[in-house]
């Protein structure tokens, strides 16, 4: 296996990866605060770390992946109050929704999915440790972390104490010793979920949960901690202060990984810009796997430009939206699935057995490992996938001058490796026919085609062919062609596809 090198946000450089325990990786990702439908930015961040997790497995590591659910939070409490709903009930509902959406995007469920509401004892335990060793203090039922008590504070984000003072001015709280101090525990307010604690009834602040859950599920010291760049400050900075404050220097995550922003036509995604697209919306428009394919062609640390063309109605509401770059990704993905479909059909009559293959037919997995070991360079893997698919199609198109068994074996190997490596990026996991048919339905919708009329013509053609009325069968091919529909003869009858040249 190639040596793994990771860009560590804390040290701000690419360094060799040495796990706490050889061959094993403990990995923590800050998960969602489920109070509303997940947007495409959530799917992007989750996709980056799903790729990293799968890449670690391809590189031979045994991975334990923990992703939390923040089910107790100001945003949930506020949204639930507005909807007249129980906050925990609302977060449960949107957690289920989140997990359904992430599955849609090919994101594997975490090994452990801890929730705040089931980790109150662990949170109280860390908080008590911090109070006992003088790093936190209580003020009438609230507990604050004293930033001044943790000398290395600010190292991850590069924030200076002056920056912190300036940033905190908007939020002056007389009870805090310093403006940058943050809440570990908040005294109960009416209508909010609360639990008993040594400081009276209350609930955790946001940051403390991750420190408590990391310790509970990965130990006081573990390998990788991930999240979006937007979490570096204050969230991850505070996590470090809490965990190292409680467990000592050198504990907590040894490497920090942060994914880049998803930008919308140069703008950061925001509800006020009206460019918050939900996961479901993207999946319906272009297919979740196409989005995953698109993400994989960017390095996880680079910003991703997410283009869309929108028309708005008189009220300024979005009327129609097109996602051209995702549509292009979907076309390219269709090429890969069509390649796999051809390979499957070819290999069905024999895979050539063991033995030699043509040059370049057995290098894909190693090339992928090489690229992924260089700070998870997915775009290089994408290029290697493209080369492998090109070679497979070339071998399928023509076998001149190649031993029959060698050709068969090479095509079978390319098919298997395309799937192995594709799966590492969370793509090419479906049966080709399922993906191609699903895509066809999306194109029918996008083009506004009359599906029932097409299906009727296809049935008529099958009947005509059965009756050996080939003139009529050919005429039908001509009738659907202007609609952009192409008929395909298969062993089980006529299939059809929507031509999509872009
Ligand atoms: Zn966190």
């Amino acid at each position: 296996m190639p040596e793994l090198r990771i860009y560590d946000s804390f040290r701000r450089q690419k360094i060799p990866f040495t796990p706490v325990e050889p061959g094993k990786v403990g990995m923590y990702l800050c998960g969602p605060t489920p109070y509303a439908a997940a947007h495409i930015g959530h799917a992007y961040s989750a996709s980056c770390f799903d790729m990293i997790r799968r890449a670690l497995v391809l590189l031979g590591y045994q991975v334990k992946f923990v992703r939390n659910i923040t089910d107790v939070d100001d945003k949930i409490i506020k949204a639930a109050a507005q909807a007249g709903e129980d906050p925990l009930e609302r977060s449960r509902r949107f957690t289920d929704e989140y997990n359904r959406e992430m599955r849609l995007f090919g994101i594997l469920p975490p090994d452990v999915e801890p929730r705040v509401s089931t980790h109150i004892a662990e949170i109280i335990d860390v908080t008590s440790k911090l109070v006992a060793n003088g790093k936190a203090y209580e003020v009438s039922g609230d507990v604050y972390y004293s930033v001044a008590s943790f000398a290395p504070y600010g190292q991850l984000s590069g924030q200076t104490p002056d920056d912190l003072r300036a940033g905190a001015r908007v939020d002056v709280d007389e009870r805090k010793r310093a403006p940058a101090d943050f809440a570990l525990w908040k005294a109960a307010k009416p209508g909010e979920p609360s639990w008993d604690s040594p400081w009276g009834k209350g609930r955790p602040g946001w940051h403390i949960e991750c420190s408590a859950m990391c310790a509970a599920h990965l130990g006081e010291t573990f390998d990788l901690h991930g999240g979006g760049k937007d979490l570096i400050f204050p969230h991850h900075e505070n996590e470090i202060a809490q965990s190292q404050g409680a467990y000592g220097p050198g504990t907590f995550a040894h490497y920090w990984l942060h994914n880049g922003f998803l930008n919308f036509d140069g703008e950061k995604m925001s509800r006020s810009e009206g460019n918050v697209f939900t996961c479901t919306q993207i999946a319906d428009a272009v297919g979740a796997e196409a989005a995953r394919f698109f993400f994989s062609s960017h390095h996880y640390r680079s910003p991703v430009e997410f283009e869309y063309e929108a028309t708005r109605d008189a009220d300024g509401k979005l009327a129609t939206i097109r996602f051209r770059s995702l549509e292009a990704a979907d076309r390219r993905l269709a090429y890969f699935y069509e390649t796999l479909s051809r390979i499957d059909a070819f290999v069905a009559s024999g895979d050539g057995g063991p033995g030699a293959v043509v040059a370049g037919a057995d290098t894909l997995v190693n090339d992928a490992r090489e690229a992924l070991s260089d700070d998870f360079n997915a775009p290089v893997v994408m290029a290697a996938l493209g080369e492998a698919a090109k070679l497979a199609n070339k071998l399928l198109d023509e076998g001149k001058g190649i031993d029959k068994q060698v050709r068969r074996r090479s095509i079978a190997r390319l098919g298997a490796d395309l799937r192995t490596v594709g799966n590492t990026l969370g793509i090419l996991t479906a049966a080709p026919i399922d993906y191609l048919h699903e895509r066809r339905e999306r194109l029918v919708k996008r083009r506004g085609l009359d599906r029932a009329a097409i299906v009727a013509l296809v049935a008529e053609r099958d009947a005509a062919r059965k009756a050996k009325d080939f003139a009529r069968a050919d005429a039908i091919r001509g009738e659907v062609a202007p609609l952009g529909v192409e008929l395909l003869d298969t062993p089980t009858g006529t299939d059809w596809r929507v031509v999509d040249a872009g």
Side-chain angles (χ1 to χ4, degrees):
M1 288 287 174
E3 182 197 49
L4 172 59
R5 293 170 64 82
I6 295 179
Y7 183 89
D8 175 24
S9 313
F10 191 90
R11 297 175 183 88
R12 294 182 180 78
Q13 57 178 321
K14 213 189 276 183
I15 49 171
F17 173 68
T18 311
V20 174
E21 210 180 315
K24 292 188 176 175
V25 177
M27 180 174 171
Y28 184 87
L29 176 64
C30 295
T33 301
Y35 69 101
H39 58 64
I40 191 65
H42 293 122
Y44 174 59
S45 183
S47 296
C48 290
F49 288 97
D50 183 64
M51 179 275 288
I52 289 171
R53 173 197 192 174
R54 292 173 187 248
L56 287 165
V57 172
L58 190 74
L59 291 169
Y61 291 99
Q62 195 187 319
V63 182
K64 182 174 179 184
F65 180 62
V66 181
R67 186 185 70 208
N68 71 313
I69 298 281
T70 302
D71 65 348
V72 178
D73 178 85
D74 292 344
K75 285 185 210 142
I76 300 169
I77 293 167
K78 198 175 149 199
Q82 276 167 2
E85 197 176 3
D86 175 67
L88 284 172
E89 193 53 49
R90 185 180 181 88
S91 60
R92 248 192 304 277
R93 191 156 60 81
F94 280 107
T95 298
D96 292 346
E97 184 68 11
Y98 176 83
N99 284 331
R100 184 191 65 78
E101 282 166 329
M102 293 307 114
R103 270 197 302 278
L104 217 56
F105 281 77
I107 291 153
L108 297 172
D111 296 309
V112 190
E113 189 181 56
R115 298 174 187 216
V116 177
S117 60
T118 58
H119 286 69
I120 299 293
E122 289 85 347
I123 289 169
I124 289 174
D125 184 55
V126 187
T127 308
S128 301
K129 270 197 179 67
L130 291 168
V131 172
N133 71 13
K135 293 220 158 4
Y137 55 93
E138 188 210 340
V139 186
S140 52
D142 291 339
V143 179
Y144 293 102
Y145 190 96
S146 168
V147 167
S149 75
F150 186 69
Y153 191 86
Q155 281 187 353
L156 174 68
S157 59
Q159 299 264 340
T160 67
D162 284 344
D163 296 334
L164 297 175
R165 267 194 291 277
R169 242 171 241 152
V170 283
D171 175 30
V172 178
D173 185 338
E174 295 297 322
R175 295 170 305 164
K176 293 201 280 188
R177 290 182 191 164
D181 292 357
F182 56 91
L184 301 176
W185 189 262
K186 297 176 173 188
K189 291 193 192 98
E192 293 188 1
S194 65
W195 291 265
D196 289 323
S197 83
W199 318 284
K201 270 196 172 307
R203 63 178 172 97
W206 171 29
H207 315 292
I208 192 67
E209 66 188 71
C210 292
S211 287
M213 289 166 178
C214 285
H217 298 289
L218 295 170
E220 292 173 8
T221 302
F222 60 96
D223 301 297
L224 307 182
H225 193 312
K229 274 200 169 90
D230 51 331
L231 293 181
I232 291 177
F233 186 83
H235 185 56
H236 289 163
E237 200 71 80
N238 291 353
E239 283 188 26
I240 294 171
Q242 293 162 163
S243 293
Q244 294 190 350
Y247 307 117
T251 59
F252 207 44
H254 280 179
Y255 300 83
W256 285 87
L257 282 76
H258 291 101
N259 68 274
F261 285 127
L262 194 59
N263 294 320
F264 289 77
D265 281 347
E267 302 273 338
K268 207 184 142 192
M269 180 166 56
S270 76
R271 289 186 200 276
S272 60
E273 292 293 326
N275 59 8
V276 174
F277 300 112
T278 64
C279 292
T280 306
Q281 202 175 358
I282 298 293
D284 286 350
V286 290
E289 194 176 340
R292 195 74 201 264
F293 187 95
F294 174 73
F295 296 155
S296 297
S297 53
H298 299 77
H299 191 275
Y300 77 92
R301 282 192 287 116
S302 308
V304 178
E305 296 305 325
F306 194 90
E307 293 157 347
Y308 65 97
E309 286 165 28
T311 59
R312 289 172 193 273
D313 62 18
D315 302 328
K317 272 195 182 150
L318 287 174
T320 62
I321 322 165
R322 292 290 296 268
F323 303 96
R324 303 281 178 192
S325 44
L326 293 186
E327 288 171 17
D330 192 28
R331 269 193 297 282
R332 184 77 178 141
L333 183 57
Y335 160 78
F336 279 98
Y337 270 117
E338 275 157 8
T339 303
L340 284 179
S341 174
R342 290 187 74 192
I343 292 173
D344 292 350
F346 183 81
V347 170
S349 52
D351 63 6
V357 294
V358 302
D362 59 355
T363 54
L364 179 58
V365 174
N366 275 337
D367 289 349
R369 284 197 179 116
E370 214 39 79
L372 292 167
S373 68
D374 178 21
D375 193 31
F376 310 106
N377 201 333
V380 172
V381 179
M382 291 289 277
L385 275 173
E387 287 303 316
K390 202 165 119 189
L391 177 58
N393 279 303
K394 197 177 143 214
L395 289 168
L396 286 161
D397 289 341
E398 205 190 338
K400 236 200 245 156
I402 306 168
D403 174 85
K404 244 176 126 176
Q405 289 307 93
V406 170
R407 177 176 174 235
R408 226 164 237 297
R409 206 178 289 137
S410 303
I411 291 170
R413 175 66 187 264
L414 284 162
D417 288 1
L418 278 168
R419 285 192 161 97
T420 300
V421 172
N423 291 4
T424 305
L425 304 180
I427 57 173
L428 305 181
T429 54
I433 195 70
D434 290 346
Y435 166 82
L436 292 168
H437 278 174
E438 244 184 73
R439 176 165 192 267
R440 182 178 74 188
E441 297 312 313
R442 284 196 302 276
L443 290 173
V444 164
K445 219 168 117 188
R446 198 184 297 157
R447 299 269 173 85
L449 298 174
D450 184 347
R451 189 182 195 285
I454 297 167
V455 171
L457 283 168
V458 167
E460 195 191 331
R461 180 166 187 269
D462 272 338
R465 277 165 63 90
K466 229 173 239 160
K468 304 219 180 307
D469 181 356
F470 296 112
R472 180 63 193 135
D474 278 351
I476 290 172
R477 187 183 281 282
E479 280 173 38
V480 296
L483 303 172
V485 172
E486 189 180 51
L487 301 180
L488 311 161
D489 293 318
T490 77
T492 53
T494 306
D495 198 2
W496 58 282
R497 65 186 210 109
V498 179
V499 181
D500 178 34

